[in-house]
Amino acid sequence: MTVDLTTTYMGLHLSSPVVASASPLTGRLDTLRQLESAGAAAVVLPSLFEEQIEHDANQYTRLIESTAGGFAESADGFFPGLDDYNTGPHDYLRLVTEARNALNIPVIGSLNGATLGGWTRYAKRIEDAGAAALELNVYFIANDPNVTATEVEDRYIDLIERVRGAISIPLAVKVGPFFSSFANMAQRISSAGADALVLFNRFYQPDIDPDELVVAPNLTLSRSDDLRLPLRWIAALFGRIEAQLAATSGVHSGIDAVKLVMAGADVTMTTAALLRHGPRFVKEIRDGLATWMVEHEYSSVEQMRGSMSQINAPDPSAFERHNYMKALTTYAS
């Protein structure tokens, strides 16, 4: 029995739901080629950060303006405004173009930011460099007690609308789960122009070094158990919003991909498994998905998608409070 693994994500026709998400592996042409060879259906390049764009722009401004005062005709600076000039990280745009030319699978660019500003114009430049789609990674920690939930949500929507208005290629939005009503926020993001939601952004928590008295960054790779959160919300949102759904965090095997597709995911993105095992591990995940489908007589990913979502599950309440109660009352060590 043969199975049809193909799927469509934001209008992109993919050979399977297995996508290599942003990581150091997607930042180099040699490993990008290995990912494609191993069966990755698409790749998401590492994020271009708002801070990187602003740093490069500020460095350029300081260089140009450092001698402006020496000439009467340039007392106010050589240029009327920085926004009119391409002074950002050219290396990233070059990577987009080189990856597009080197690969036969879709190359998805990525922007990471939190504020409204001129940096959002780089969405258009990533499109012009050849990206098939753009993933907007919104990373904003709302830790000011004077900022309301409405203000936080509006900030997200304003940013998404700004980027959506700048590009014509498909737009995915990667966010965290920390909203008081995530289902409503997902609907707002979809209505603001997102073609897909990527669930979820992992907010890496800092650690404290008590000996050195410093706050230290601490990155821990995901495990299969981490897919529970995106699985729950993808199952709850499937069929209820227009945007497509991508799962990230916790995809370490073909079975993990099976669970997420059954919940309603259009694609399943993996990073940690590839960092642990190398680019060729994509094939293990893809083959595991196909093998499970053959054994359980599923002919296509489309047939399987959403079969265990909230609207299709035999017990929809399992995704709500009922599952919480049952998990606590039935636990045995």
Side-chain angles (χ1 to χ4, degrees):
M1 176 182 176
T2 59
V3 294
D4 180 5
L5 295 180
T6 60
T7 188
T8 301
Y9 179 55
M10 300 190 295
L12 305 173
H13 298 287
L14 307 183
S15 61
S16 83
V18 183
V19 172
S21 50
S23 80
L25 295 175
T26 63
R28 295 165 32 199
L29 280 180
D30 60 337
T31 46
L32 282 168
R33 289 191 177 98
Q34 291 176 38
L35 289 166
E36 179 182 39
S37 177
V43 291
V44 183
L45 300 187
S47 289
L48 176 59
F49 285 83
E50 173 185 347
E51 291 82 358
Q52 290 175 306
I53 296 171
E54 292 180 342
H55 171 76
D56 284 7
N58 291 336
Q59 290 287 89
Y60 187 85
T61 303
R62 282 193 290 270
L63 175 65
I64 292 298
E65 299 300 327
S66 62
T67 58
F71 304 90
E73 65 269 27
S74 62
D76 294 327
F78 284 117
F79 297 118
L82 188 62
D83 286 346
D84 295 332
Y85 300 91
N86 182 356
T87 59
H90 301 285
D91 288 347
Y92 187 86
L93 300 177
R94 183 163 54 248
L95 173 64
V96 174
T97 300
E98 291 177 349
R100 188 274 313 272
N101 292 335
L103 306 179
N104 293 315
I105 56 176
V107 174
I108 300 173
S110 178
L111 265 178
N112 186 310
T115 66
L116 288 173
W119 68 273
T120 56
R121 72 186 185 277
Y122 275 83
K124 176 59 176 172
R125 294 183 181 175
I126 291 173
E127 176 181 15
D128 292 342
L134 178 68
E135 182 176 288
L136 175 62
N137 187 335
V138 187
Y139 195 102
F140 171 61
I141 304 296
N143 56 8
D144 185 344
N146 296 312
V147 176
T148 67
T150 299
E151 290 173 315
V152 171
E153 292 183 6
D154 288 347
R155 180 172 177 174
Y156 274 73
I157 298 304
D158 289 345
L159 178 55
I160 293 164
E161 290 178 340
R162 178 76 64 89
V163 173
R164 174 71 281 173
I167 59 175
S168 59
I169 56 176
L171 174 65
V173 178
K174 187 175 184 178
V175 295
F178 304 118
F179 296 93
S180 55
S181 176
F182 182 76
N184 177 260
M185 187 60 182
Q187 179 61 64
R188 290 190 66 191
I189 292 172
S190 177
S191 298
D195 298 289
L197 270 72
V198 183
L199 309 181
F200 284 105
N201 198 338
R202 294 183 71 207
F203 289 100
Y204 296 104
Q205 310 301 332
D207 200 359
I208 291 178
D209 185 330
D211 295 320
E212 298 295 330
L213 300 180
V214 295
V215 177
N218 183 15
L219 189 154
T220 57
L221 297 178
S222 72
R223 303 173 303 169
S224 286
D225 287 348
D226 291 318
L227 67 78
R228 300 283 184 88
L229 185 61
L231 186 145
R232 183 253 177 104
W233 279 108
I234 287 172
L237 294 173
F238 178 79
R240 289 189 165 94
I241 64 172
E242 289 189 16
Q244 290 188 282
L245 300 166
T248 187
S249 292
V251 181
H252 290 258
S253 68
I255 297 302
D256 293 335
V258 166
K259 293 177 182 179
L260 290 163
V261 171
M262 295 183 88
D266 294 282
V267 295
T268 62
M269 298 184 170
T270 181
T271 295
L274 305 183
L275 292 174
R276 283 195 177 102
H277 305 293
R280 300 193 185 284
F281 195 72
V282 169
K283 186 176 187 301
E284 297 293 325
I285 299 175
R286 181 184 170 121
D287 288 352
L289 169 63
T291 297
W292 189 94
M293 291 174 62
V294 169
E295 291 174 349
H296 294 79
E297 299 183 349
Y298 281 91
S299 61
S300 68
V301 163
E302 186 62 31
Q303 177 192 3
M304 188 168 61
R305 180 178 295 112
S307 58
M308 288 296 294
S309 65
Q310 188 171 20
I311 60 175
N312 291 321
D315 181 11
S317 66
F319 289 104
E320 300 174 354
R321 185 172 174 84
H322 171 72
N323 187 60
Y324 165 76
M325 296 171 57
K326 187 173 182 180
L328 292 179
T329 57
T330 61
Y331 173 78
S333 61

